[in-house]
C-alpha cells in the first residue's frame, strides 16, 4: 500500500478590469501557482498570464508579498497551469 502524500498549494492573484461604463467588469485572476511537498520541496511552479485585453488595477499584494515582477503577460495560460496541477494530484 502506498502512503498518502500531502501537498500545499499557493496562488497569487491580481485584480483586473475590462470594459467601460455599464459594461465594466472587475475580477481577481491567478498569476502564479506553486505546489510544495510536506518537506517544502518545490514540486511545481507556474507563472500564469493575465487574461488578454484586461487592465491591471491592483497588483500590490502579488508584487510586495509574492515578490512577482509586474509583467502580467508573462507565463502560461491558466488552463495550462490547471492541467499541470490536476495531473500532479491525479498521479500523486
Amino acid at each position: 500500500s502506498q502512503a498518502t502524500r500531502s501537498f500545499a498549494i499557493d496562488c497569487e492573484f491580481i485584480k483586473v478590469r475590462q470594459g467601460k461604463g455599464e459594461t465594466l467588469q472587475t475580477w481577481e485572476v491567478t498569476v502564479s501557482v506553486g505546489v510544495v511537498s510536506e518537506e517544502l520541496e518545490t514540486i511545481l511552479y507556474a507563472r500564469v498570464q493575465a487574461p488578454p485585453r484586461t487592465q491591471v488595477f491592483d497588483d500590490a499584494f502579488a508584487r510586495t508579498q509574492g515578490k512577482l515582477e509586474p509583467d502580467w503577460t508573462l507565463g502560461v495560460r491558466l488552463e495550462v497551469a490547471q492541467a499541470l496541477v490536476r495531473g500532479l494530484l491525479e498521479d500523486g
Side-chain angles (χ1 to χ4, degrees), residues 14-90:
I14 60 173
K15 294 179 182 176
V16 298
R17 61 181 158 220
Q18 188 175 55
K20 294 181 179 178
E22 291 183 18
T23 64
L24 178 67
Q25 295 178 315
T26 63
W27 66 99
E28 288 188 344
V29 297
T30 304
V31 288
S32 75
V33 60
V35 180
V36 296
S37 68
E38 291 178 89
E39 295 80 23
L40 300 180
E41 176 186 1
T42 300
I43 304 298
L44 175 87
Y45 176 79
R47 180 71 185 260
V48 181
Q49 302 171 349
R53 297 176 299 283
T54 58
Q55 180 185 25
V56 176
F57 72 94
D58 185 358
D59 63 0
F61 189 85
R63 283 186 298 102
T64 59
Q65 300 301 313
K67 306 220 183 324
L68 298 178
E69 295 296 323
D71 181 355
W72 306 120
T73 62
L74 182 65
V76 298
R77 291 183 332 274
L78 179 60
E79 297 81 14
V80 172
Q82 289 171 328
L84 289 169
V85 172
R86 191 176 307 113
L88 173 68
L89 298 178
E90 288 171 356

